[in-house]
Structure formats: C-alpha cells, structure tokens
Amino acid sequence: MGEQLGQLKIIVVQGKRLVIRDFKSSDPYVVLKLGNQTAKTKVINSCLNPVWNEELNFTLTEPLGVLNLEVFDKDLLKSDDKMGNAFLNLQPLVSAARLRDILGVSSGETTLRKVIPDNENCLVRESSINCVNGEVAQNVWLRLRGVESGEVELTIKLVKNVTTKT
C-alpha cells in the first residue's frame, strides 16, 4: 500500500432513470470500489429514481486508483441483476487539493478546477471542484454504461490534506 493521501468521503446522493430489471421496477443499490476497498449503499425498494443520501468512506492512497461504481437490482431468489456501471478518475480531485495547499486557500468558497466529460470519466456534464472552507469537494453526475439509461449523482470530498506540511 502506498502513501496515504487522505480520507475520501463519497455521498451517493441519488439515481435517475435507472433501468427496469424486475417486472415493473427495480430494487437498486450501489457498490463503490477503490483499489481493494469496497462499500455499498442500502437497497431502495421498487424505485427507478432512488434517493440514497448515504455516505461511504475510503482511504485514498498513492498510486491513485479509479473510483468504480456499479448499480445492481437486489433479487431474493436469484443473483442480483446488473443495472450499469461507471468510473471516475480521481486525479483531478487530488490535483485540485494540491493546488489548494499551494495557494493556501482555507476559508470561503473557491473554484479550483473544472472537469469536462471525456474518455477518462463517465461524467454527464461539466463538474467543478471547489474548496469550501478548506474542504475540497466535487459534485458529479455519472452516466451508467452497459445499459439503456441511468445516471447516479455523487458528492466527493477529500477530507485530509494531500501534501505533507514540512
């Protein structure tokens, strides 16, 4: 395991237009993976536009990994159905945190960086990485891959300093 960069708090906010995997609906939950760390949300029954507002925590280390997200439909009698997946490159968030440290930003709200949708992420639209009272945060909408439709909203916060003060 590499150098620890800080604590990553990920709030799985909500899903939109998720695909039907049961007769008329689905019972979705989200699994997040970062390196060998895994966390999952609770199941929301019979809902294609679920609201989780659930916080999941990870330790962020070098080398930086990619945040992987999978949505599943909970089933009782058979294995859970896949409802799509997405990924997000965390490098822009860590770079913004390093910029915050270099600039000495600690109060108020400052936009540190904008991230546009490309092949390095599954962003639906442009996303800003902001420093709010010293905390680096990014709100993203990720488009699910491998399915007809679906998006998941996350709020990602990097809690501890990325660079070591000497």
Side-chain angles (χ1 to χ4, degrees):
M1 197 170 202
E3 175 190 351
Q4 184 170 333
L5 298 176
Q7 199 66 20
L8 198 65
K9 287 185 178 186
I10 301 172
I11 300 165
V12 181
V13 181
Q14 64 180 323
K16 266 190 187 174
R17 298 184 300 279
L18 300 182
V19 293
I20 295 172
R21 288 294 183 246
D22 291 334
F23 297 112
K24 292 182 180 178
S25 190
S26 292
D27 305 316
Y29 66 93
V30 176
V31 175
L32 292 177
K33 292 180 184 175
L34 180 62
N36 61 358
Q37 303 171 79
T38 303
K40 74 178 199 173
T41 66
K42 64 185 178 256
V43 175
I44 306 288
N45 292 319
S46 300
C47 189
L48 299 177
N49 296 297
V51 175
W52 287 282
N53 277 328
E54 199 167 330
E55 183 179 297
L56 306 173
N57 294 297
F58 294 90
T59 301
L60 191 60
T61 57
E62 287 278 8
L64 274 182
V66 171
L67 179 68
N68 288 294
L69 174 146
E70 290 182 281
V71 182
F72 292 95
D73 169 39
K74 182 73 176 162
D75 285 323
L76 293 175
L77 303 175
K78 58 185 175 90
S79 61
D80 294 350
D81 298 313
K82 292 183 179 183
M83 297 177 69
N85 64 74
F87 67 93
L88 182 68
N89 182 352
L90 296 174
Q91 186 62 54
L93 184 74
V94 172
S95 296
R98 287 188 173 123
L99 179 63
R100 173 211 50 200
D101 293 346
I102 290 166
L103 297 174
V105 178
S106 61
S107 62
E109 183 170 344
T110 305
T111 299
L112 298 170
R113 184 170 184 174
K114 293 200 183 289
V115 184
I116 58 171
D118 64 16
N119 60 1
E120 295 292 315
N121 59 52
C122 291
L123 290 177
V124 174
R125 61 183 75 89
E126 185 178 274
S127 171
S128 294
I129 300 174
N130 300 307
C131 181
V132 181
N133 295 323
E135 191 172 74
V136 176
Q138 181 179 18
N139 192 63
V140 297
W141 276 97
L142 300 177
R143 179 172 286 113
L144 297 177
R145 302 178 307 158
V147 289
E148 308 81 59
S149 69
E151 298 173 2
V152 174
E153 180 185 12
L154 303 176
T155 298
I156 303 165
K157 296 179 182 179
L158 186 51
V159 177
K160 294 182 184 171
N161 284 349
V162 172
T163 55
T164 312
K165 303 278 183 190
T166 53

